[in-house]
Amino acid sequence: MAEAITPRSQDFAQWYNEIVRRAELADYTPVRGCMVIRPYGYALWENIQAALDRRFKETGHQNAYFPLFIPYSFIEKESEHIEGFSPQLAVVTHGGGERLEEPLVVRPTSETIIGHLYAKWIKSYRDLPLLINQWANVVRWELRPRLFLRTTEFLWQEGHTAHATAEEAEEEARRMLDVYADFAEKEAAIPVIKGRKSESEKFPGAVHSYTIEAMMGDRKALQMGTSHNLGQNFSRAFGIRYLDRNNRLQYCWTTSWGVSTRLVGAVVMVHGDDQGLILPPRLAPIQVVIVPIYKEEGERAAVLDFAHRVAGLLQGRVRLRVDDRDEYTAGWKFNEWELRGVPLRIEVGPREVAGEEAMLARRDVPGQAGKWTLPVEGLLEGVSRALEDIQESLFKRALRFREEHTHRPEGWEEFVAAVEDGFALAPWCGDAGCEKAIQEETKATNRCLPLEAEPLSGGERCVRCGRPAQELALFSRAY
């Protein structure tokens, strides 16, 4: 099955599209820019949801749901917000066969409608903090769609919180950035760089925007999640106020933060190879596939019985499937499950039945190097250990790849070469014009100002213009 897949090194974009469709994660629809998420892809998204939702609730957030349609006047209330989103808006002008008195915007994000409702719900300091998240779909008119990465409609979560002080709002924005980073590294096995967005790259209407950035398999950056300190911008626009302990009326400080089905694309692009997906075990819809192997009909019953016995030892402890389809050969099944990225394959045939053992094969280690046998009585422990090792190995491999392609250029020529190869950590003057010129000349954007980078010593010069540097910035070509 994998023989016709375009190699990553030949055409990464084509490889990505082929993998997503042939592994049955998603497909195109008649509506330009919109995709259907197929059951296998949706199962992966459900595991992403579950891992994130658990973290949200552990940090005190509750889920709710807000309307898909937003009055256009709400979008206009925050001037920076409307300016930033206007090119992407889908606007409804008719409903029920009649022209609407006021156009409705199909939700691009929910700060405005939630701000309106928070103004109704919040009256006193006793109502704060208000910590709400919603799992929803949003629509942003996309000119250059790509499955999972950029689609007109996509699924996501968006958290919206209100606080009594600026310090609490900033703490919340940074806390949720840490939650995203923890998920990315521990569940998706993707190393990320946490950073603050520059003024020109921040979310429309935010005071500060924070991001986690990751390097994909083609050495481009992907923004995997963002968290925004909105200050009092939306509170003032929508009248979100509370009576403090001294009975004085104050404006709230708000935040918003979100990740989307783009995370599915990230998992594909970071870990996949020329044979297909390689899924981190903690997110994989199927962690273990058991493939019975027999050549003669007389072997079939004993092998199948043994395969289901092996499954019984693992049932409830791992997500598994017994592939007992008769219409396909064992080799065909191997290729299919490799394409789908199942982390661990267990092969059982007459030899394994006789020896009370199983042959295991890791998806992330090709060929005989990734195979070994285990006795049945130690199978559960061995499988659990193998899955944890695969999870850790995928993270280490991705981190090593990022480190190999991250550079500290000392001049413009080195900078140009660095962004050709991957990430460039470079001193920057902080000027938006210089930032724009870098993008025009190299196609690299300012991904973030890394939060954990060593501070500048004071004598550095901007990598492009030579003026005194204000920040150390991460530049890269990006999705």
Side-chain angles (χ1 to χ4, degrees), residues 235-462:
S235 292
R236 292 183 182 277
F238 289 90
I240 311 173
R241 299 190 292 178
Y242 72 98
L243 285 172
D244 67 13
R245 293 176 185 273
N246 298 314
N247 213 34
R248 291 179 300 190
L249 205 57
Q250 306 278 5
Y251 283 103
C252 290
W253 303 80
T254 66
T255 79
S256 66
W257 30 273
V259 298
S260 74
T261 37
R262 171 177 283 200
L263 292 176
V264 175
V267 169
V268 175
M269 291 195 294
V270 170
H271 300 306
D273 65 12
D274 287 351
Q275 279 64 53
L277 302 173
I278 300 178
L279 297 179
R282 293 181 189 173
L283 295 181
I286 301 171
Q287 295 170 310
V288 177
V289 61
I290 301 171
V291 181
I293 304 170
Y294 49 87
K295 294 181 179 179
E296 300 175 7
E297 183 61 28
E299 300 171 336
R300 181 178 183 275
V303 170
L304 287 178
D305 182 68
F306 187 71
H308 286 285
R309 183 176 143 213
V310 166
L313 297 173
L314 304 176
Q315 199 73 47
R317 304 298 292 274
V318 299
R319 297 184 290 274
L320 63 83
R321 175 170 172 177
V322 178
D323 190 348
D324 54 7
R325 296 174 292 176
D326 285 331
E327 59 269 30
Y328 298 106
T329 66
W332 192 96
K333 294 175 185 178
F334 293 170
N335 285 336
E336 180 183 29
W337 296 115
E338 286 181 359
L339 173 64
R340 288 174 172 253
V342 173
L344 197 61
R345 184 175 73 240
I346 297 178
E347 304 169 14
V348 293
R351 183 174 60 184
E352 284 73 32
V353 173
E356 283 284 307
E357 61 187 17
M359 174 73 75
L360 280 68
R362 291 173 56 141
R363 173 63 181 87
D364 63 320
V365 181
Q368 290 300 315
K371 285 192 168 189
W372 75 106
T373 58
L374 279 177
V376 167
E377 62 265 22
L379 191 61
L380 177 58
E381 181 182 351
V383 165
S384 300
R385 188 167 54 245
L387 292 174
E388 283 302 309
D389 189 63
I390 294 168
Q391 184 81 27
E392 183 180 354
S393 296
L394 289 176
F395 176 80
K396 288 181 177 177
R397 183 166 69 183
L399 179 60
R400 185 167 57 251
F401 181 81
R402 190 188 76 187
E403 290 175 343
E404 289 171 353
H405 298 283
T406 300
H407 309 279
R408 294 289 296 267
E410 295 185 0
W412 180 246
E413 289 186 4
E414 287 188 14
F415 177 87
V416 172
V419 295
E420 285 276 354
D421 184 65
F423 286 0
L425 278 167
W428 170 56
C429 62
D431 180 69
C434 190
E435 186 181 38
K436 184 178 180 181
I438 290 172
Q439 181 176 357
E440 290 174 348
E441 294 171 28
T442 68
K443 299 182 181 178
T445 54
N446 186 346
R447 305 312 305 157
C448 69
L449 311 170
L451 297 176
E452 297 172 356
E454 294 181 6
L456 297 176
S457 63
E460 293 88 349
R461 296 281 174 174
C462 177

Side-chain angles (χ1 to χ4, degrees), residues 196-230:
R196 176 171 54 85
K197 287 289 189 181
S198 66
E199 286 298 303
S200 58
E201 293 285 340
K202 72 180 183 181
F203 178 77
V207 174
H208 298 304
S209 284
Y210 299 100
T211 179
I212 53 171
E213 300 284 332
M215 181 181 285
M216 302 295 101
D218 60 351
R219 306 186 302 281
K220 289 182 181 179
L222 184 74
Q223 175 182 288
M224 292 182 56
T226 50
S227 181
H228 314 289
N229 181 345
L230 304 175

